[in-house]
Amino acid sequence: MTDVNGNGRAAVVTGASTGIGRACALMLARRGWRVYTGVRTENAAEELRAAGGALVVPVRLDVTEETDIAAARDLVAGELDAGGLVGLVNNAGTTIPCPVEYLPLDDFRRQLEINLTGHLAVTQAFLPLLRRPGGRIVNISSPGAKIAAPFMAPYVAAK
């Protein structure tokens, strides 16, 4: 598999249904990259295909599901040539704003699982594909990593 310029550039972008992940995926595709876009719904997949063209390959990828991560890795590995994967953008995330005293622990744990643990799980799964070409990992963060905002404790902790 090579990109439209014959450079063999391919990347995975998690959380590509909306926002930063979508913008990143579409920008890479416009620059001739093959982009495997992590989505959780078929509707999001269809919208990305329509917006990005043939270089955008939507992949079912819930970063909290080991089976999704393994299936995405296997799909990407099966389509790549010896060039491997050049980029991984860990973007998937969520925010559950709530005062700490009312925040259910399960909601706190879920946000950490998506925004922190999920990124590690995806990184571990794709590292063998990234090593061959000396690929790069980009972890999308937030100003919330340094400046706490009211009602954002789980988000700040994860970032």
Side-chain angles (χ1 to χ4, degrees):
M1 192 282 318
T2 58
D3 65 25
V4 293
N5 299 315
N7 294 323
R9 295 176 297 182
V12 171
V13 179
T14 68
S17 298
T18 61
I20 294 169
R22 179 183 171 89
C24 182
L26 294 176
M27 181 271 308
L28 288 169
R30 279 193 302 273
R31 293 184 179 191
W33 288 57
R34 177 87 158 178
V35 187
Y36 297 89
T37 55
V39 297
R40 293 184 302 141
T41 68
E42 186 54 37
N43 186 48
E46 290 173 14
E47 289 176 5
L48 274 168
R49 276 189 208 100
L55 290 176
V56 172
V57 180
V59 177
R60 166 103 177 130
L61 181 55
D62 180 331
V63 300
T64 68
E65 294 294 332
E66 290 180 32
T67 55
D68 278 8
I69 295 168
R73 180 207 50 230
D74 293 347
L75 172 83
V76 172
E79 290 192 3
L80 294 179
D81 59 18
L85 188 64
V86 178
L88 168 62
V89 179
N90 284 312
N91 172 71
T94 189
T95 303
I96 305 168
C98 185
V100 172
E101 66 183 315
Y102 300 115
L103 180 65
L105 283 177
D106 285 344
D107 288 351
F108 181 80
R109 288 182 180 110
R110 177 83 175 142
Q111 188 157 352
L112 289 176
E113 185 69 22
I114 294 167
N115 293 3
L116 180 63
T117 309
H119 290 206
L120 175 60
V122 170
T123 298
Q124 288 176 336
F126 283 95
L127 269 175
L129 300 177
L130 290 159
R131 282 195 178 107
R132 279 183 282 174
R136 301 284 191 261
I137 301 166
V138 176
N139 293 313
I140 302 297
S141 189
S142 162
K146 296 186 184 259
I147 302 168
F151 309 118
M152 299 294 285
Y155 184 78
V156 171
K159 294 296 180 176

